[in-house]
Amino acid sequence: MGSVVGEKITRLIEYATNQLLPLIIVCASGGARMQEGSLSLMQMAKISSALYNYQINQKLLYVAILTSPTTGGVTASFGMLGDIIIAEPKAYLAFAGKRVIEQTLNKEVPEGSQSAEVFFEKGLLDAIVSRDSLKDFLSELFEFHGCFPWIENEN
């Protein structure tokens, strides 16, 4: 995640905060762009700080949707900070990739251990929802939380 992407996501969060809107971010990232070094790493803190204001101070609902792959700085920051965290089935989720972990720790990473299903079993996700069911799932979720009081209930 480079500094331009970090700035755009931060501005999105600030806009949702100022307008008192619920926030959905669909994440897909192969990790941070280390060519930018510390500027890239600072995006995690900047986005996390904006989300803190959004979630804690304003008490607004943030839903993170993790697609495949979601790794690196996105997983380390806004990808896992949602009030509700959803992933698509069989999504590849990780902070570091299998090769990096194996080379760093000199241990083999079990096959499938970086999947949405494992994250769900360990309690890191709230739901696994396929893309074709996502619209209905989110509609029910936001209706339950009363996020759109101006929309009349069809029932």
Side-chain angles (χ1 to χ4, degrees):
M1 174 176 45
S3 50
V4 172
V5 172
E7 181 64 24
K8 287 185 176 194
I9 293 171
T10 301
R11 287 183 183 190
L12 169 72
I13 297 165
E14 290 170 347
Y15 179 82
T17 302
N18 292 334
Q19 299 297 316
L20 302 176
L21 296 171
L23 180 63
I24 301 171
I25 299 179
V26 179
C27 307
S29 172
R33 306 290 160 247
M34 295 316 295
Q35 301 88 328
E36 294 187 46
S38 61
L39 291 176
S40 182
L41 293 173
M42 287 170 37
Q43 302 313 307
M44 294 189 305
K46 184 164 89 173
I47 292 169
S48 297
S49 176
L51 276 173
Y52 179 86
N53 183 44
Y54 177 85
Q55 293 172 289
I56 305 301
N57 295 337
Q58 297 297 326
K59 302 200 181 331
L60 296 167
L61 179 65
Y62 165 47
V63 177
I65 301 174
L66 311 180
T67 65
S68 190
T70 299
T71 62
V74 171
T75 306
S77 62
F78 66 93
M80 300 303 287
L81 291 178
D83 296 304
I84 298 172
I85 304 171
I86 302 167
E88 65 182 354
K90 298 181 178 65
Y92 177 70
L93 310 174
F95 176 69
K98 181 178 179 177
R99 180 183 50 82
V100 172
I101 295 170
E102 289 177 344
Q103 289 176 350
T104 304
L105 300 178
N106 204 21
K107 290 186 176 183
E108 188 175 329
V109 175
E111 198 62 42
S113 63
Q114 295 178 306
S115 69
E117 288 71 18
V118 171
F119 274 49
F120 183 74
E121 288 172 17
K122 302 291 183 186
L124 296 170
L125 300 174
D126 296 302
I128 297 176
V129 181
S130 64
R131 288 185 186 191
D132 59 344
S133 302
L134 195 55
K135 182 179 176 182
D136 291 336
F137 183 88
L138 290 172
S139 295
E140 289 179 28
L141 176 69
F142 283 113
E143 184 178 323
F144 175 77
H145 283 277
C147 291
F148 300 111
W150 58 87
I151 297 176
E152 292 184 29
N153 190 346
E154 295 176 8
N155 295 332

